[in-house]
Amino acid sequence: MSVLDTYSPAERSEILRRYRNLIEVWHTRKDVTDRWMVRKAFRLAVDAHKDMRRKTGEPYIYHPLEVATIAAGEIGLGRTSIICALLHDVVEDTEYKLTDITAMFGEQIARIIDGLTKIDTMVEGSDVQSLQAENFRKVLLTLSYDVRVILIKLADRLHNMRTLDAMPPTKQWKIASETSYLFAPLAYRLGLYAIKSELEDLALKYTEPSVYESVKKNLEESRDERNQMIEAFLVPVRESLDRMDIKGRILIAEKSASSIWSRMKEKEIPFADVYDTFVVRFIVDGSPETEKVDCWRVYAAITSVYKPNNERLHDWISLPKANGYESLHATVMSKAGKWIEIQIRSDRMDEVAEKGYAAYWKYKDAPTSESGLDEWLTKVREVLSSEDASALEFLNNFRLNLFSDEIFVFTPKGEMISLPKGSTALDFAFNIHTNLGSKCIGANVNHKLVQLNHPLKTGDQVEIITSKVQFPKEEWFDFIITARAKSRLREAIREHRKTYKEPGREKLEAHFKQLNIEASKANITRLIDAEGLSGLVDLYYYLATDKLTLQKIKDVFKEKPAGGSGFFKYLISPFMRHKPIEEVANQELDKNENTDIKADILPEETTDLGYTVASCCNPIPGDDVVALAFQGEPMHIHRVNCPKAIDLMSQYGNNIIKAKWKQKEDIVFLAGLKITGFDSIGFIHRLTTIISIDLGLNIRNLQLESSSGVVVAYITVYVQNLKSLKEVIERLQKLEGIRNVKRLERLSEAGK
């Protein structure tokens, strides 16, 4: 009996069609052994998933087939990855075990599949705060040994996003939030630009459907006019390229809806004012030895016809991005008076830009290849190996250090060092060496003396100034941002404090003797816990430096512990010989039980929870909202597109509950507006007349900023719902002299 016999004839035909498509898009080596191994994995997956269906009602096997097709066709992976993609849900969802996979396909494939298998339960009483964060950490840790786990996970996520329509809204928000929070930035960092853009677009589609549809509609309606303008732009450019005998091809790439929406929000402009809704891409024919020169020749050919904007020239050829991306970006003014964004790259650069990590390895041994992606993966492994915090802290640290934009700075000898954007002079010092950071008292940045917390920018040359009397300080954690600096500072502080062991031990012994307290393990533990210290090293340091005094110790032991008998519980018994402090100090101290709320575990009944409206996004009736419930707290109501809500949903997806406004006529909500226009006599009078007199609404606060004839007004007003707020905005936009009316995401922006 064939494994396909359990499916209907139409389903069998579709499964075979998808399998043949997978083989067709698989462009890496395909010898007889490779094909046989993939066929074997396919048959196992078909059999393992034969009784499973997706939410759409389709056979589940469609999903691993599509994931494998994305891995092979869109990412460019080979046999091992295709097999893992076909089997990625077998261990998680069926009776097969990892040992079975190892026996059939070997240790390497089993290890990758283990990395793709989710942790599906939390152990009761564990200190796990977020199941999603734990799963993210498990996947990210695989970067330390095999990046293919992440690449297959991205293929899996992309197919899930493409088929998200069948899911209920809360599930859509959870998955879309995870995608924005982690998977899209990961795709970007691994150079998978097409996948990153599609993930962001699909996330926007489910978190802000009206925005997504509006941008897509505007792109569609303006496409013909845009194409005519581009064609007119290219006519003289082609002539110039022909005169210079430059061979290549020209592509027109439309920007993604999510990137256009980000630009509209950032610049506070409508779609019509976004000039870079597309990019003209020039891909040059040429050898790796001459490709850089060839790209600059194309730039010369274009700028001989059109004037460039030098502020928007970005040379990613001489200085590739951390993920290996290379391209020359420029913006030129067309004859039609419109800015046109252009990108110039070679065939090799284009393949790396489209296929990311997979293409990068294809060219890795070439003499002209760059090591940007190697450096990024080295940083990844450093963060992974040095991180011992909770999964949530780990995740936030990972995103801060490895998803942020980069800056490139130079040592006094001209060596270039890349750091996350926002890094300080002290981050730079610790990046060089722990001792340099520990003894740092300042820096010369471009021959100008600056403080330790001075933020660096690309092109800075940094010379660190040290002093023998300087020592590492805890307050430095307030402004350093890199994982390497934090890890090295933590270790430096610990080593510094160890030098206070003897004087600290002597003071502890003297204080305990003076208070007639036994130097027992329990008493030392109580003192450490009461002062919130991390261990004996800190205890001795605080004693030696008089941060922990005799009076504080006395106060600690005056407090009555649970089940104890007051201060006398800690007094030395005259009939017992107490251990010397050295002996107690060498014992391992017990740690308090973790009392953090387990946020993924919700009470069964959540209907009686109160609610609080989040100040980060200020939702009002009519907004699409999501409720997040945590133990012992009222529900937190956020707008679905709120950045903080997206972060929370990506980490606490099981805490999402359905929420719906119950409109009451006697309740009003505070909303904020930013109004930009031309300053004129009666400006405020016209605004307040419409809001207070015509619409009968109460203004809570109004602030005005005027400069060079342009006025910006910030207003908070009480409204009943979104419809009421939209009416205010529409009426104000019709006023003469008003350029833009925008709803504020946070009321604090209006000076609340």
Side-chain angles (χ1 to χ4, degrees), residues 140-160:
L140 292 173
L141 285 171
T142 64
L143 275 168
S144 64
Y145 64 83
D146 201 324
V147 74
R148 285 175 294 190
V149 177
I150 298 290
L151 297 173
I152 297 166
K153 197 72 179 174
L154 287 170
D156 178 34
R157 177 51 55 119
L158 180 57
H159 185 248
N160 282 333

Side-chain angles (χ1 to χ4, degrees), residues 238-280:
R238 289 193 179 100
E239 293 173 357
S240 181
L241 292 171
D242 289 342
R243 283 196 300 271
M244 296 177 67
D245 195 27
I246 299 173
K247 306 297 181 185
R249 63 188 190 278
I250 301 172
L251 303 176
I252 311 302
E254 199 167 73
K255 292 287 186 73
S256 66
S258 57
S259 66
I260 293 171
W261 175 237
S262 295
R263 180 59 63 91
M264 290 168 65
K265 288 195 296 182
E266 178 190 351
K267 301 293 185 182
E268 297 183 2
I269 54 176
F271 178 88
D273 291 344
V274 180
Y275 71 85
D276 52 349
T277 57
F278 64 93
V279 60
V280 182

Side-chain angles (χ1 to χ4, degrees), residues 469 471-472 493-508 536-546:
V469 298
F471 59 90
I493 288 174
R494 185 171 179 80
E495 290 302 315
H496 173 69
R497 289 182 176 181
K498 281 181 180 178
T499 62
Y500 290 84
K501 177 181 177 180
E502 282 306 312
R505 185 190 61 78
E506 291 170 3
K507 277 198 174 183
L508 179 63
L536 281 166
V537 171
D538 281 358
L539 178 64
Y540 290 152
Y541 171 74
Y542 274 67
L543 284 160
T545 56
D546 292 325

